[in-house]
Short mmCIF file of all heavy atoms in Angstrom, two decimals:
data_model
loop_
_atom_site.label_atom_id
_atom_site.label_comp_id
_atom_site.label_asym_id
_atom_site.label_seq_id
_atom_site.Cartn_x
_atom_site.Cartn_y
_atom_site.Cartn_z
N PRO A 9 -23.12 20.16 -18.95
CA PRO A 9 -24.56 20.19 -18.96
C PRO A 9 -25.06 21.20 -19.99
O PRO A 9 -24.29 22.04 -20.47
CB PRO A 9 -24.96 20.64 -17.58
CG PRO A 9 -23.74 21.32 -17.04
CD PRO A 9 -22.57 20.66 -17.65
N PRO A 10 -26.36 21.13 -20.39
CA PRO A 10 -26.93 22.11 -21.24
C PRO A 10 -26.73 23.52 -20.65
O PRO A 10 -26.99 23.67 -19.41
CB PRO A 10 -28.41 21.75 -21.26
CG PRO A 10 -28.56 20.37 -20.76
CD PRO A 10 -27.31 20.11 -19.93
N GLY A 11 -26.21 24.44 -21.42
CA GLY A 11 -26.02 25.79 -20.89
C GLY A 11 -24.66 26.03 -20.35
O GLY A 11 -24.30 27.16 -19.90
N ALA A 12 -23.75 25.01 -20.37
CA ALA A 12 -22.45 25.17 -19.75
C ALA A 12 -21.55 26.10 -20.54
O ALA A 12 -20.55 26.61 -20.09
CB ALA A 12 -21.75 23.84 -19.60
N GLY A 13 -21.96 26.35 -21.81
CA GLY A 13 -21.11 27.22 -22.64
C GLY A 13 -20.32 26.42 -23.68
O GLY A 13 -19.36 26.95 -24.27
N LYS A 14 -20.77 25.17 -23.97
CA LYS A 14 -20.00 24.34 -24.93
C LYS A 14 -19.97 25.04 -26.32
O LYS A 14 -18.92 25.13 -26.94
CB LYS A 14 -20.67 22.95 -25.04
CG LYS A 14 -20.70 22.18 -23.75
CD LYS A 14 -21.27 20.84 -23.93
CE LYS A 14 -22.77 20.82 -24.32
NZ LYS A 14 -23.65 21.39 -23.31
N GLY A 15 -21.11 25.44 -26.77
CA GLY A 15 -21.21 26.04 -28.10
C GLY A 15 -20.41 27.36 -28.18
O GLY A 15 -19.61 27.53 -29.12
N THR A 16 -20.58 28.18 -27.16
CA THR A 16 -19.88 29.46 -27.09
C THR A 16 -18.37 29.25 -27.18
O THR A 16 -17.66 29.92 -27.94
CB THR A 16 -20.21 30.16 -25.75
OG1 THR A 16 -21.66 30.38 -25.72
CG2 THR A 16 -19.52 31.49 -25.56
N ARG A 124 -29.18 30.81 -17.70
CA ARG A 124 -28.46 30.89 -18.99
C ARG A 124 -29.30 30.43 -20.14
O ARG A 124 -29.36 31.03 -21.23
CB ARG A 124 -27.22 30.04 -18.96
CG ARG A 124 -26.07 30.62 -18.16
CD ARG A 124 -24.83 29.82 -18.44
NE ARG A 124 -23.72 30.24 -17.61
CZ ARG A 124 -22.51 29.79 -17.80
NH1 ARG A 124 -22.21 28.93 -18.75
NH2 ARG A 124 -21.50 30.17 -16.93
N ARG A 128 -30.97 32.57 -23.45
CA ARG A 128 -30.16 32.25 -24.64
C ARG A 128 -30.92 32.73 -25.89
O ARG A 128 -32.08 32.50 -26.09
CB ARG A 128 -29.82 30.80 -24.79
CG ARG A 128 -29.15 30.40 -26.13
CD ARG A 128 -28.38 29.16 -26.04
NE ARG A 128 -29.24 27.98 -25.80
CZ ARG A 128 -28.75 26.72 -25.63
NH1 ARG A 128 -27.47 26.54 -25.66
NH2 ARG A 128 -29.62 25.75 -25.43
N MET A 137 -24.26 32.67 -30.69
CA MET A 137 -25.09 32.58 -29.48
C MET A 137 -24.93 33.86 -28.65
O MET A 137 -23.83 34.38 -28.46
CB MET A 137 -24.62 31.44 -28.61
CG MET A 137 -25.63 30.32 -28.61
SD MET A 137 -25.01 28.93 -29.54
CE MET A 137 -23.34 28.84 -28.91
N TYR A 138 -26.05 34.28 -28.09
CA TYR A 138 -26.02 35.46 -27.23
C TYR A 138 -26.85 35.14 -25.96
O TYR A 138 -27.47 34.08 -25.89
CB TYR A 138 -26.69 36.65 -27.95
CG TYR A 138 -25.97 37.02 -29.19
CD1 TYR A 138 -26.24 36.41 -30.43
CD2 TYR A 138 -24.94 37.95 -29.14
CE1 TYR A 138 -25.52 36.76 -31.56
CE2 TYR A 138 -24.23 38.32 -30.24
CZ TYR A 138 -24.51 37.71 -31.44
OH TYR A 138 -23.78 37.97 -32.59
N HIS A 139 -26.77 36.06 -24.97
CA HIS A 139 -27.64 35.97 -23.81
C HIS A 139 -28.17 37.35 -23.53
O HIS A 139 -27.46 38.33 -23.61
CB HIS A 139 -26.89 35.43 -22.64
CG HIS A 139 -27.75 35.06 -21.49
ND1 HIS A 139 -28.26 36.04 -20.62
CD2 HIS A 139 -28.23 33.92 -21.10
CE1 HIS A 139 -29.01 35.43 -19.73
NE2 HIS A 139 -29.05 34.15 -19.95
N PHE A 142 -26.23 38.23 -20.07
CA PHE A 142 -24.81 37.94 -19.88
C PHE A 142 -23.92 38.19 -21.07
O PHE A 142 -22.74 38.32 -20.95
CB PHE A 142 -24.64 36.46 -19.41
CG PHE A 142 -25.44 36.08 -18.19
CD1 PHE A 142 -26.15 34.84 -18.16
CD2 PHE A 142 -25.54 36.99 -17.13
CE1 PHE A 142 -26.88 34.58 -17.00
CE2 PHE A 142 -26.28 36.64 -16.00
CZ PHE A 142 -26.97 35.40 -15.98
N ASN A 143 -24.58 38.21 -22.25
CA ASN A 143 -23.76 38.37 -23.45
C ASN A 143 -24.71 38.93 -24.55
O ASN A 143 -24.96 38.36 -25.57
CB ASN A 143 -23.23 36.97 -23.88
CG ASN A 143 -22.35 37.10 -25.13
OD1 ASN A 143 -21.74 38.12 -25.41
ND2 ASN A 143 -22.30 35.96 -25.84
N ALA A 198 -16.45 26.94 -15.43
CA ALA A 198 -17.06 27.61 -16.53
C ALA A 198 -18.09 28.66 -16.13
O ALA A 198 -19.03 28.90 -16.85
CB ALA A 198 -17.63 26.62 -17.54
N GLY A 200 -18.60 32.75 -14.85
CA GLY A 200 -17.92 34.04 -14.93
C GLY A 200 -17.61 34.44 -16.36
O GLY A 200 -18.27 34.00 -17.30
N ILE A 202 -16.68 35.10 -19.99
CA ILE A 202 -16.52 34.16 -21.09
C ILE A 202 -15.06 34.21 -21.67
O ILE A 202 -14.53 33.17 -22.00
CB ILE A 202 -17.55 34.50 -22.27
CG1 ILE A 202 -18.97 34.24 -21.79
CG2 ILE A 202 -17.21 33.71 -23.56
CD1 ILE A 202 -20.10 34.61 -22.76
N ILE A 205 -12.71 32.26 -19.24
CA ILE A 205 -12.88 30.80 -19.38
C ILE A 205 -12.20 30.36 -20.64
O ILE A 205 -11.44 29.35 -20.61
CB ILE A 205 -14.40 30.48 -19.43
CG1 ILE A 205 -15.09 30.88 -18.11
CG2 ILE A 205 -14.58 28.94 -19.75
CD1 ILE A 205 -16.62 30.93 -18.23
P1 ADP B 301 -24.25 24.92 -24.39
O1 ADP B 301 -23.81 24.79 -25.82
O2 ADP B 301 -23.32 24.19 -23.39
O3 ADP B 301 -25.66 24.52 -24.16
P2 ADP B 301 -24.15 27.81 -24.85
O4 ADP B 301 -22.73 28.06 -25.33
O5 ADP B 301 -25.20 27.84 -25.83
O6 ADP B 301 -24.15 26.44 -23.99
O7 ADP B 301 -24.44 28.91 -23.70
C1 ADP B 301 -25.74 28.93 -23.09
C2 ADP B 301 -26.13 30.39 -22.81
O8 ADP B 301 -25.33 30.89 -21.77
C3 ADP B 301 -25.95 31.29 -23.98
O9 ADP B 301 -26.99 32.22 -23.95
C4 ADP B 301 -24.64 31.93 -23.79
O10 ADP B 301 -24.56 33.27 -24.32
C5 ADP B 301 -24.54 32.03 -22.27
N1 ADP B 301 -23.20 31.90 -21.74
C6 ADP B 301 -22.19 31.14 -22.24
N2 ADP B 301 -21.08 31.24 -21.43
C7 ADP B 301 -21.43 32.05 -20.40
C8 ADP B 301 -20.77 32.55 -19.25
N3 ADP B 301 -19.50 32.24 -19.00
N4 ADP B 301 -21.44 33.35 -18.38
C9 ADP B 301 -22.70 33.67 -18.59
N5 ADP B 301 -23.45 33.23 -19.70
C10 ADP B 301 -22.79 32.45 -20.60
#
Side-chain angles (χ1 to χ4, degrees):
K14 299 183 296 297
T16 300
R124 284 194 187 186
R128 172 160 64 185
M137 250 109 45
Y138 299 88
H139 189 281
F142 305 138
N143 182 26
I202 293 176
I205 297 163

